Amino acid sequence: MSAVYDLKREVEKPERLTGGHRLCAGCGAGIIVSGVLRALEKEDRAVIVNATSCLEVSTFMYPYTAYTDSFIHSAFENSAATCSGAEAAYNALKRRGKVEGTVKFITFSGDGGTYDIGLQSLSGAMERGHDMVYVCYDNEAYMNTGIQRSSSTPRFARTTTSAVGPVGKGKKQNKKDLTEILVAHNIPYAAQTAPIGNFRDLHTKSYKAIYTEGPCFLNVLSPCPRGWDYPMAKLPEIIKLAVDTCVWPLYEVEEGVWRLSYMPKKKLPVEEFFRSQGRFKHMFLKGNEWMIEEAQQYVDQKWERLLERTDA
Amino acid sequence: MSNCLSGNEAVAYAIKQINPDVMGAFPITPSTEIPEHFAQYVADGEVDTEYVTVESEHSSMSVCVAAEAAGARSVCATSSCGLALMYELLYIAASCRLPITLACVNRALSGPININNDHSDSMGARDSGWIQIYAENNQEAYDNFIMAVPVGETPSVRLPVMTCMDGFITSHAVENIELLETDAVRKFVGEYNPENYLLKKENPLAVGPYDISPYYMEHKVMEAEAMKAAKARILEVAAEFAKISGRHYGLFEEYRMEDAQLALVLIGSSAGTAKAAVDKLRENGVKAGLIKVRVFRPFPGEELARALANTKAVAVMDKSEGFSANGGPLFAETRSALYDLKDRPYLIDIVYGLGGRDLKTEDVEEVFGRLAYITVTGETGPVYTHLGQRQRRR
Ligand SMILES: Cc1ncc(C[n+]2csc(CCOP(=O)(O)OP(=O)(O)O)c2C)c(N)n1
Ligand code: SF4
Ligand SMILES: [Mg+2]
C-alpha cells in the first residue's frame, strides 16, 4: 500500500474471504475480515486463525472453507496461542530453509474469545512478541451461543444473561476497556477501528498492524443485527452513530504514541446510539432516564481521558 | 555411549538429539527439568528449535497443535494439572491427526494437591486419541521418546504420542543409561515431511472445521482406525530401533511368564520392585510372573489375553483410582481382554501407590500370597481393593 488509500485499487484485489459463508446477512464480522485481509499485499500469503465463534462456524463448515489462505481453528480461548504456534513454525521452517516467501499471521476472534476466555492466551502471545496481528471483532456479546453477556457488553444492554424485567436492568457493569489493556502491553501497534465510510480507517490500521513487525492488535466494532436488535440494512448508520457519539472512538497507539483518528464534527448524545437498537429499549421507559444520564457521563469521562492522552 | 542421567535429563537429551522444530515450554513438577535442560541447549546453540515459553500448558499444547499443523515437528512436556489443563487440546491434536510428542512425567492429580507419582494424569487422558507408551526406567523413557516420533508420524497413524514415566522415581533418580549417537537418532527419526500443512505454498490448507453430523462420525471412525493401525507400527518401529540400539521392546514385557500360574499386570517403575518379588518367589518354587504393560493406547488386548491364557490367577495393579467403583482403568481393560478366553484365570484389581505411596517388595509378595490363596480355595474374595493405605480407626 502506498501512503494514500486508493479504494479502487483495494477493491480490485481478489477477495481472500470468499462469498458463500454462512454469516447472517448484515453481519459486521464478514465485512471486517474481508476489510482487514484486503490490506495484505497480493503476493503475501497468510495463515488465518479463528477462535470458536459465529465467524468460525460460519466460514469453515466441513468440507468448505471460505478462506483462500491457509486457516486454522482449534478452540475458543486459545486463538492467540494458536497463531503464535503457527508463527513459531514459520520461524523454525524458514530458518531451516523449508518455507518460501512471506507469510503473515492474523487471528480473528470475537469479544468473548478475547475480552473473556481468551485474555490470558492473548496477553501471553503479545508479551512473547510474536510477529502477528490479533483482530477482535467486537459485537459485544457471545452471539454464537445465543447473545449472552460478555465483559465487552456495555452497561444496561439486554442480553440473554443480562435480562431486563421488573428487577433486572440489563447488564450491571460497564464495558471492559480491552484496547487500553493491550496498550499496556507496550506492543508496537494497537488501534481501535470500525468498518466505517469508505473503510479508510479500517484499511490503514490493518495495513499498519500487518506490516509492523511484532505483535499488533486491532479492536474492531462489529455490529450484529440479531444481538443488537436492529434492521440489518442499518449497519453503516449504527457504526456512524457509535463513532459520532464517542461510544466507540477511533484511535491508535503506535510505539506508545496515542493518536485520535477521528474527531466528530458534532459529538452526538449517546441516546441516539442507544435508540437505534432494541437491546437498549428499556432505557427509554419512563423512570429509566437515569440510565441514559449515567451512560452519557461514563462515555464523556472516557472521551475526555482519550482527548488528554491523544493531545487532541 | 554410557552415561549417568536422571529420567528428565534423558528425555531432554533425546529431544536435543531430535532437534525438533518447535517446543512449547511451561513448568510443573516433576517435568520442569525437561524444558529447563532444553533452554540450556537453546542458549548454548546446540539446537535451533523455536522454543516458545508460553503462559500455560493450555497454550503449550495450542502452540504445538498449530505448529504441527503448520508443518513443524513439535514437542512438549508436562505433568498432572498441566496435562489436565491441556485436556481440551489433547482431543483436538488427535482429531486433527497431528503427531505431536509429549513427555508426560506422571504425577497425581489435584486434589488434594500432591506432587508425587501415580498415573491419574495420563489415565485421565486415555480416551483422548493419544498413543500412550509407559517407561519403567530412564533407559526406557529415553528410548520411548525417540521411538514415539516415527510411530506418530507414520502416514497411516498420524496420531500424537504421549510417552510417560513415573514422576521422581524415574524422572529424578539418576541411573546408568546407554545413549545413542546423535547422528543415529537423527537418521532414525528422519525429516518431518507431512503431505499437507499450513505453510505449504502450493496448496493452502484449512484445519479444524466445524464438523457437521454427516461427517463427524466418519472422521472419528478414521481416528479409531488409525489407533488400530498404530499397534503394528509400534512393533515395526521397535524392531528398527533394536537394530540401532540392541534393545528390544514389545507392546508389553513378559517377565518369567513361561510357566507362570500367578501373575501381576502393572505399568511403570513398580515393575522393578515386582520383578524382585517375582525372583524371590521363584526361588521358593512359586510359579510367579509379571506383565509390564508398555503400550496402553492402543491397548494390546488380544496379545495380553494370549499371554495370560495359561495362568490361574492374575492381579491387576492400578496406579490410579478412576472412581468407577468397579476397579481402575488397567483392570477394566485387562478384564475385558480376558473375557474371550475359554478358561479365564481368577482376576482381582489392586489400586496402589496413589500420590506417591510406596510399593515395597513385601507388598507385592502379599499380593502373590492372595493369588495363591485364591487358586487353592477358589474364592476370589473382594475383587477390587486398595493396597498400602493406613487402616481407618473405628
Ligand atoms: C471452552 C469453551 N467454552 C464455551 C464454548 C461455547 N462457545 C462457543 S462460541 C461462544 C461464544 C463466542 O462469543 P464471541 O467470542 O463473542 O464470538 P461471537 O460468536 O459473538 O462472534 C461460546 C460461549 C466453547 N466452544 N468452548
Ligand atoms: S448472530 Fe450476529 S455476529 Fe453472529 S453471524 Fe449473525 S449477525 Fe453475525
Ligand atoms: Mg461476540
Side-chain angles (χ1 to χ4, degrees):
Chain A
M1 191 190 78
S2 55
V4 190
Y5 173 57
D6 179 352
L7 177 65
K8 191 160 165 288
R9 172 183 180 262
E10 294 306 330
V11 295
E12 274 169 7
K13 286 182 181 169
E15 283 283 351
R16 287 177 184 247
L17 177 73
T18 60
H21 57 68
R22 293 155 194 255
L23 290 161
C24 300
C27 175
I31 299 167
I32 291 167
V33 172
S34 11
V36 171
L37 295 183
R38 208 172 283 136
L40 279 161
E41 298 291 8
K42 245 193 215 164
E43 62 279 13
D44 289 345
R45 294 189 287 141
V47 172
I48 314 293
V49 179
N50 276 184
T52 315
S53 57
C54 269
L55 178 66
E56 189 278 323
V57 301
S58 308
T59 53
F60 185 20
M61 190 182 283
Y62 190 86
Y64 303 109
T65 173
Y67 298 92
T68 57
D69 288 284
S70 275
F71 171 91
I72 179 167
H73 155 257
S74 128
F76 183 23
E77 66 283 53
N78 67 348
S79 60
T82 302
C83 198
S84 63
E87 191 255 5
Y90 175 64
N91 294 336
L93 297 187
K94 193 108 193 164
R95 193 153 55 226
R96 294 174 181 191
K98 287 174 92 172
V99 61
E100 291 164 50
T102 301
V103 183
K104 293 292 177 182
F105 297 87
I106 308 174
T107 299
F108 294 95
S109 308
D111 49 292
T114 308
Y115 286 69
D116 286 349
I117 199 167
L119 187 58
Q120 170 184 320
S121 170
L122 172 58
S123 179
M126 296 291 110
E127 184 269 335
R128 290 192 298 275
H130 298 274
D131 190 8
M132 60 179 269
V133 183
Y134 188 102
V135 183
C136 174
Y137 71 98
D138 185 357
N139 54 28
E140 304 195 317
Y142 298 114
M143 296 310 179
N144 187 44
T145 38
I147 323 170
Q148 291 81 29
R149 62 88 84 184
S150 75
S151 61
S152 164
T153 306
R155 189 170 173 211
F156 303 120
R158 170 174 45 83
T159 70
T160 54
T161 53
S162 59
V164 173
V167 180
K169 313 246 176 292
K171 196 192 169 202
K172 288 185 185 146
Q173 304 83 357
N174 275 311
K175 182 181 171 94
K176 186 189 279 181
D177 196 331
L178 182 73
T179 312
E180 281 198 33
I181 295 172
L182 269 294
V183 171
H185 282 71
N186 290 320
I187 51 178
Y189 187 74
Q192 206 162 277
T193 177
I196 190 169
N198 70 354
F199 283 40
R200 178 194 302 273
D201 195 77
L202 179 68
H203 184 88
T204 46
K205 287 174 179 170
S206 301
Y207 188 87
K208 277 189 194 173
I210 295 169
Y211 289 101
T212 300
E213 206 182 314
C216 297
F217 175 79
L218 297 177
N219 204 358
V220 194
L221 189 70
S222 180
C224 159
R226 272 197 68 231
W228 295 11
D229 193 6
Y230 67 85
M232 63 186 180
K234 288 219 185 269
L235 175 89
E237 285 164 63
I238 301 262
I239 294 177
K240 186 91 172 63
L241 282 171
V243 172
D244 281 335
T245 55
C246 301
V247 161
W248 188 259
L250 306 182
Y251 67 96
E252 60 186 358
V253 183
E254 211 171 341
E255 297 296 352
V257 180
W258 293 64
R259 208 175 298 121
L260 193 69
S261 318
Y262 174 83
M263 174 70 89
K265 280 197 193 69
K266 181 170 175 283
K267 180 167 171 285
L268 300 177
V270 286
E271 63 173 285
E272 294 200 22
F273 177 68
F274 294 152
R275 206 190 303 279
S276 66
Q277 299 151 57
R279 62 178 172 152
F280 300 117
K281 200 157 80 190
H282 55 288
M283 295 175 81
F284 295 90
L285 295 177
K286 215 174 149 35
N288 284 350
E289 294 79 5
W290 63 275
M291 293 184 182
I292 295 180
E293 277 165 35
E294 290 193 10
Q296 182 70 60
Q297 277 168 18
Y298 181 71
V299 167
D300 289 349
Q301 264 173 26
K302 303 264 320 168
W303 175 245
E304 286 303 321
R305 218 160 97 93
L306 182 64
L307 290 182
E308 278 167 32
R309 283 182 155 158
T310 53
D311 272 336
Chain B
M1 204 177 9
S2 190
N3 268 278
C4 264
L5 295 180
S6 74
N8 278 342
E9 283 174 306
V11 168
Y13 198 81
I15 301 175
K16 173 176 115 164
Q17 293 184 307
I18 292 164
N19 193 18
D21 297 306
V22 173
M23 178 166 184
F26 196 80
I28 181 166
T29 305
S31 64
T32 311
E33 290 177 342
I34 296 174
E36 281 177 350
H37 288 302
F38 201 80
Q40 197 60 52
Y41 300 141
V42 174
D44 294 343
E46 294 191 72
V47 290
D48 62 351
T49 301
E50 191 76 6
Y51 181 68
V52 189
T53 46
V54 285
E55 82 303 329
S56 71
E57 291 88 350
H58 196 281
S59 287
S60 178
M61 187 46 65
S62 300
V63 161
C64 285
V65 164
E68 192 81 35
R73 181 179 276 157
S74 308
V75 304
C76 62
T78 194
S79 296
S80 183
C81 307
L83 190 70
L85 191 59
M86 290 179 179
Y87 186 77
E88 179 191 27
L89 277 305
L90 295 178
Y91 282 76
I92 290 170
S95 71
C96 291
R97 310 292 300 279
L98 299 170
I100 298 157
T101 313
L102 179 152
C104 175
V105 183
N106 287 110
R107 157 182 162 185
L109 275 180
S110 302
I113 188 166
N114 173 298
I115 60 164
N116 295 298
N117 171 244
D118 68 33
H119 297 157
S120 54
D121 49 4
S122 57
M123 281 297 159
R126 68 188 182 275
D127 296 338
S128 61
W130 283 62
I131 292 167
Q132 288 190 337
I133 307 179
Y134 289 80
E136 178 185 334
N137 51 37
N138 303 4
Q139 186 71 62
E140 292 187 11
Y142 171 80
D143 293 349
N144 287 348
F145 198 93
I146 293 168
M147 281 185 273
V149 174
V151 167
E153 289 173 4
T154 303
S156 60
V157 177
R158 285 207 291 134
L159 287 174
V161 187
M162 194 180 293
T163 65
C164 306
M165 69 167 130
D166 286 341
F168 292 110
I169 303 166
T170 309
S171 67
H172 283 61
V174 174
E175 288 180 333
N176 264 332
I177 172 172
E178 288 291 325
L179 299 172
L180 297 167
E181 296 298 332
T182 296
D183 283 349
V185 173
R186 296 251 163 109
K187 204 163 143 231
F188 186 76
V189 299
E191 284 276 312
Y192 181 46
N193 289 319
E195 193 184 344
N196 295 300
Y197 54 100
L198 296 174
L199 293 171
K200 189 170 177 178
K201 192 168 186 181
E202 309 74 50
N203 185 16
L205 176 71
V207 177
Y210 178 70
D211 206 14
I212 49 179
S213 309
Y215 297 106
Y216 183 89
M217 178 124 184
E218 281 70 17
H219 291 147
K220 286 291 148 185
V221 172
M222 288 161 76
E223 204 181 326
E225 292 298 332
M227 187 57 89
K228 285 193 218 163
K231 205 194 270 184
R233 187 62 190 137
I234 288 167
L235 292 174
E236 270 171 34
V237 170
E240 289 159 25
F241 189 77
K243 284 185 210 151
I244 62 163
S245 67
R247 295 185 288 276
H248 297 267
Y249 291 100
L251 300 169
F252 46 79
E253 180 190 337
E254 297 180 53
Y255 188 75
R256 307 193 79 163
M257 284 297 293
E258 317 79 54
D259 58 344
Q261 293 180 344
L262 313 178
L264 298 191
V265 177
L266 51 68
I267 291 177
S269 62
S270 312
T273 310
K275 283 173 188 171
V278 166
D279 289 344
K280 199 168 158 205
L281 291 166
R282 284 273 176 180
E283 276 170 28
N284 297 336
V286 182
K287 291 191 170 170
L290 166 76
I291 291 188
K292 178 188 80 189
V293 174
R294 174 174 174 261
V295 178
F296 187 75
R297 286 288 183 267
F299 191 76
E302 287 167 29
E303 296 83 352
L304 197 59
R306 239 176 283 134
L308 292 169
N310 298 321
T311 58
K312 294 209 166 97
V314 176
V316 177
M317 308 267 296
D318 265 293
K319 213 174 193 180
S320 66
E321 218 316 311
F323 304 108
S324 74
N326 199 38
L330 182 58
F331 180 62
E333 297 288 356
T334 307
R335 183 148 72 168
S336 162
L338 298 192
Y339 185 80
D340 293 328
L341 286 179
K342 251 215 191 85
D343 297 308
R344 290 188 289 270
Y346 295 106
L347 201 63
I348 57 171
D349 183 33
I350 293 174
V351 175
Y352 76 103
L354 303 184
R357 183 58 52 94
D358 213 11
L359 179 78
K360 301 184 286 293
T361 43
E362 303 88 82
D363 297 325
V364 179
E365 286 168 36
E366 193 186 307
V367 173
F368 274 111
R370 248 187 90 187
L371 292 181
Y373 182 78
I374 290 169
T375 53
V376 172
T377 60
E379 298 288 333
T380 308
V383 171
Y384 149 60
T385 54
H386 295 86
L387 173 80
Q389 73 278 24
R390 282 188 298 282
Q391 296 307 312
R392 250 193 304 183
R393 275 195 218 114
R394 304 217 179 237

